[in-house]
């Protein structure tokens, strides 16, 4: 466990392209939350980086459902540096991700990261047909709505089944690290899934703290992880592109070395974290909910509703503002 955590930190320290990835002095423009979080991380490293995570009682083996490598880094590090755990296994089951090209990119990157650290990676089936069947009737629900609940339920149920069949004590999910996700919604799905099996627990913890967020982006930048531009499903892709078009923002690009907006790969922890700032997240969901309430599943009404935002934001391509909207 401790060797794996040390490996993450040593490799980050050896990467010369990141000048402040390991608690060094931050730029003068760094926000106060990042400076405070960096100092706390620096102190922890000086003390041997003892994990701050607190697993549920009697939990020694954890099955960690992972949505992608960027959301996994800090969570894996915390778990693997804990002296309270004997085993952490990463479980990849995400039939929601569309198209297949995007699914393979996210899976293979996650797999490589685990192999690099010597962590077992379970590659579960890609069964989008079952996912679409379960989401029927919710095609136009907004992000964080009923469809997202069903999506979390489906993935956590499969994770819980595998955990039950293979003797794990608890399940957890990296979905809980992203500020683009409703932590309560994610955790509720985890609790429901674990409750299906006697003795299985769901590990709930605040994985969205400033310290965890900064560390997540330090690891992502060091590894140059692929920066996905939408949550994952075809409906998210559709709605994100509709929203971008209405806001005169370039369309999402799948794969390749060029993103539709911003950088293709994580490269600067502070810039990357800014794309997940609470203001950015709140703006996106406020508009998404407004469209859903106004138009529902009426395509023409949705198009009319989207026109409202054309005057609310100048084209980011020309005004040079690229923070946000491309880092899920």
């Amino acid at each position: 466990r401790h060797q794996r955590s040390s490996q993450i930190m040593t490799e980050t320290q050896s990467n010369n392209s990141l000048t402040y990835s390991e608690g060094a002095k931050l730029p003068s423009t760094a926000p106060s939350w990042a400076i405070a979080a960096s100092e706390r991380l620096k102190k922890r490293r000086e003390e041997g980086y003892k994990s701050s995570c607190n697993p549920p009682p009697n939990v020694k083996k954890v099955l960690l459902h992972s949505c992608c490598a960027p959301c996994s880094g800090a969570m894996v590090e915390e778990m693997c540096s804990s002296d309270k755990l004997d085993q952490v296994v990463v479980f990849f089951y995400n039939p929601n991700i569309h198209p297949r090209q995007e699914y393979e990119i996210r899976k293979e990157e996650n797999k490589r990261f685990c192999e690099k650290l010597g962590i077992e990676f379970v590659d579960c089936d890609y069964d989008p047909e079952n996912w679409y069947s379960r989401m029927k009737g919710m095609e136009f629900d907004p992000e964080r709505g009923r469809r997202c609940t069903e999506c979390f339920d489906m993935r956590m149920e499969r994770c819980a089944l595998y955990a039950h069949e293979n003797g794990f004590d608890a399940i957890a999910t990296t979905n809980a690290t992203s500020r683009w996700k409703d932590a309560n919604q994610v955790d509720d799905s985890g609790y429901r899934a674990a409750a299906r099996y006697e003795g299985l627990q769901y590990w709930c913890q605040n994985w969205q703290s400033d310290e965890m967020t900064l560390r997540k982006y330090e690891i992502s930048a060091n590894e140059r992880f692929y920066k996905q531009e939408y949550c994952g499903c075809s409906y998210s892709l559709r709605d994100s592109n509709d929203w971008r078009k209405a806001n005169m923002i370039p369309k999402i690009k799948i794969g390749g070395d060029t993103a539709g907006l911003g950088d293709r790969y994580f490269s600067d922890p502070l810039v990357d974290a800014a794309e997940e700032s609470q203001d950015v997240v709140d703006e996106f969901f406020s508009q998404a909910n407004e469209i859903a309430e106004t138009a529902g599943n009426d395509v023409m009404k949705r198009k009319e509703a989207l026109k409202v935002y054309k005057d609310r934001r100048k084209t980011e391509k020309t005004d040079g503002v690229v923070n946000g909207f491309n880092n899920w």
Side-chain angles (χ1 to χ4, degrees):
R1 304 191 290 274
H2 302 286
Q3 288 180 339
R4 291 170 187 165
S5 179
S6 298
Q7 183 178 356
I8 295 175
M9 292 182 282
T10 300
E11 288 168 348
T12 307
Q13 289 170 337
S14 67
N15 189 322
N16 295 326
S17 65
L18 298 178
T19 58
Y20 51 91
S21 63
E22 285 302 324
K25 186 176 180 180
L26 294 171
S28 59
T29 55
S32 58
W33 73 263
I35 294 174
S38 180
E39 287 302 314
R40 289 195 296 271
L41 286 168
K42 185 176 181 180
K43 183 176 180 180
R44 287 177 61 190
R45 292 186 189 96
E46 292 172 350
E47 297 174 349
Y49 204 92
K50 184 177 180 181
S51 175
S52 64
C53 68
N54 188 29
N58 304 314
V59 168
K60 294 295 184 181
K61 294 180 60 179
V62 177
L63 185 65
L64 175 61
H65 168 267
S66 176
C67 56
C68 62
C71 287
S72 300
M75 205 165 172
V76 165
E77 181 177 71
E78 284 295 306
M79 289 185 174
C80 288
S81 60
S82 171
D83 57 7
K84 301 175 183 178
L85 300 175
D86 292 335
Q87 184 181 22
V88 178
V89 174
V90 171
F91 184 78
F92 193 84
Y93 176 65
N94 299 287
N96 57 305
I97 300 176
H98 173 90
R100 183 66 181 258
Q101 179 186 3
E102 181 79 7
Y103 171 83
E104 293 296 339
I105 290 172
R106 298 189 192 189
K107 183 185 76 172
E108 290 304 316
E109 180 173 68
N110 208 330
K111 187 176 181 180
R112 286 193 300 272
F113 181 60
C114 288
E115 289 176 346
K116 181 178 181 179
L117 300 177
I119 298 171
E120 184 179 348
F121 180 89
V122 177
D123 182 2
C124 202
D125 292 337
Y126 181 56
D127 57 346
E129 295 81 7
N130 287 333
W131 186 86
Y132 279 108
S133 176
R134 186 156 177 172
M135 303 305 136
K136 190 174 182 180
M138 295 175 282
E139 294 85 352
F140 289 95
D141 278 21
E143 295 281 347
R144 295 185 174 179
R146 292 180 305 150
R147 186 181 69 238
C148 290
T149 295
E150 286 294 332
C151 184
F152 292 139
D153 281 350
M154 182 175 181
R155 288 182 283 168
M156 293 311 295
E157 285 166 11
R158 188 66 187 83
C159 180
L161 174 61
Y162 187 93
H164 170 70
E165 292 175 337
N166 291 274
F168 287 88
D169 304 313
I171 58 173
T173 177
T174 62
N175 278 310
T177 71
S178 175
R179 289 175 176 170
W180 288 101
K181 303 292 185 291
D182 182 333
N184 291 328
Q185 187 180 34
V186 171
D187 290 336
D188 285 347
S189 289
Y191 280 122
R192 282 193 294 272
R196 290 168 171 256
Y197 305 101
E198 185 177 356
L200 183 64
Q201 299 185 65
Y202 173 69
W203 185 350
C204 176
Q205 182 169 315
N206 178 18
W207 303 105
Q208 295 182 17
S209 66
D210 288 345
E211 190 174 331
M212 284 290 293
T213 297
L214 181 61
R215 186 60 188 144
K216 177 173 73 171
Y217 288 119
E218 286 178 350
I219 294 173
S220 293
N222 178 64
E223 300 293 332
R224 292 197 79 246
F225 283 147
Y226 173 83
K227 189 182 291 185
Q228 55 250 31
E229 301 186 63
Y230 61 107
C231 183
C233 76
S234 61
Y235 307 128
S236 171
L237 177 60
R238 175 201 65 201
D239 293 345
S240 294
N241 273 330
D242 282 349
W243 186 89
R244 284 187 175 207
K245 183 178 180 181
N247 284 273
M248 302 177 70
I249 297 173
K251 186 179 180 180
I252 289 169
K253 290 185 179 180
I254 306 296
D257 290 327
T258 304
L261 173 67
D263 298 328
R264 172 79 298 169
Y265 303 100
F266 288 90
S267 58
D268 185 314
L270 291 184
V271 172
D272 298 331
E275 294 178 353
E276 198 182 34
S277 72
Q278 200 60 53
D279 288 343
V280 169
V281 173
D282 289 346
E283 179 185 353
F284 179 88
F285 285 113
S286 175
Q287 294 186 7
N289 289 333
E290 185 177 338
I291 292 170
E293 292 173 3
T294 301
N297 61 1
D298 188 311
V299 176
M300 294 306 297
K301 286 184 178 180
R302 289 175 67 84
K303 289 182 178 180
E304 287 297 317
L306 283 162
K307 289 180 181 180
V308 173
Y309 302 108
K310 285 186 177 180
D311 296 327
R312 294 191 186 178
R313 178 181 295 276
K314 299 297 183 182
T315 170
E316 298 199 357
K317 186 175 182 180
T318 57
D319 71 12
V321 179
V322 295
N323 285 342
F325 316 120
N326 71 323
N327 174 13
W328 286 78

